[in-house]
Amino acid sequence: MNTPTCPICQAPISGRMDKKYCGDQCRSTANNKKKLETQRILLVTNQALRKNRTILKTLCPQGKATVRKEVLVMLGYDFTLFCSLFMTSKKQLYYMCYDYGFTPINENGVEKALIITRQNYMGDWNPWKFIK
Ligand SMILES: [Zn+2]
């Protein structure tokens, strides 16, 4: 059987079988690495969300606007990121990004986004409504 090695310094690990690191210093190094990685993920995600909001705000200065999907794509909008969801009674889904949001629409075969600003009634969302 191979002796387990420390993932930080590659030294062989002796002692208890469930030990992950060779010692306190490598465990602390590993924990710091994990913390930094978490911070990096939050930072990158928050930056992208803020960028999305800026794009929506720029394209929608009057509370409501319709733009082609390509405009959002061209400006670098990240469709995978949003802050909340809102669905109208007609099952139109709005992807909210802070106080702005959009719903995908199709006008005569052209993919567009209807951009809006958040309204007070948009706070209601029940994720369990959609499971059978
Ligand atoms: Zn080590």
Side-chain angles (χ1 to χ4, degrees):
M1 203 177 91
N2 290 333
T3 315
T5 54
C6 174
I8 300 298
C9 71
Q10 274 72 48
I13 299 175
S14 58
R16 284 191 354 251
M17 284 295 289
D18 60 342
K19 263 173 87 175
K20 265 175 143 175
Y21 306 101
C22 66
D24 287 344
Q25 201 180 329
C26 281
R27 183 163 12 86
S28 158
T29 300
N31 286 339
N32 287 339
K33 267 188 176 179
K34 225 182 280 173
K35 238 180 268 173
L36 281 175
E37 175 59 9
T38 301
Q39 280 172 358
R40 195 192 63 77
I41 291 167
L42 294 184
L43 186 74
V44 168
T45 307
N46 290 342
Q47 279 173 343
L49 278 170
R50 275 201 296 269
K51 182 180 175 182
N52 277 358
R53 183 190 178 273
T54 301
I55 292 169
L56 294 181
K57 184 177 181 235
T58 305
L59 295 173
C60 181
Q62 311 267 350
K64 199 172 184 180
T66 303
V67 297
R68 283 170 175 260
K69 178 190 169 187
E70 294 92 79
V71 176
L72 292 172
V73 172
M74 200 185 66
L75 293 171
Y77 198 94
D78 185 340
F79 295 104
T80 67
L81 296 177
F82 45 89
C83 297
S84 60
L85 297 168
F86 175 75
M87 190 180 278
T88 65
S89 53
K90 291 175 181 169
K91 304 251 184 269
Q92 200 167 14
L93 187 61
Y94 280 86
Y95 296 85
M96 302 305 297
C97 191
Y98 301 103
D99 49 341
Y100 285 84
F102 79 93
T103 188
I105 57 172
N106 190 314
E107 268 184 9
N108 305 316
V110 182
E111 289 180 320
K112 294 180 179 180
L114 172 60
I115 304 169
I116 47 99
T117 52
R118 174 182 280 286
Q119 306 299 312
N120 287 333
Y121 58 80
M122 291 180 153
D124 182 38
W125 182 258
N126 177 11
W128 287 267
K129 191 169 124 184
F130 304 100
I131 55 173
K132 306 266 179 211

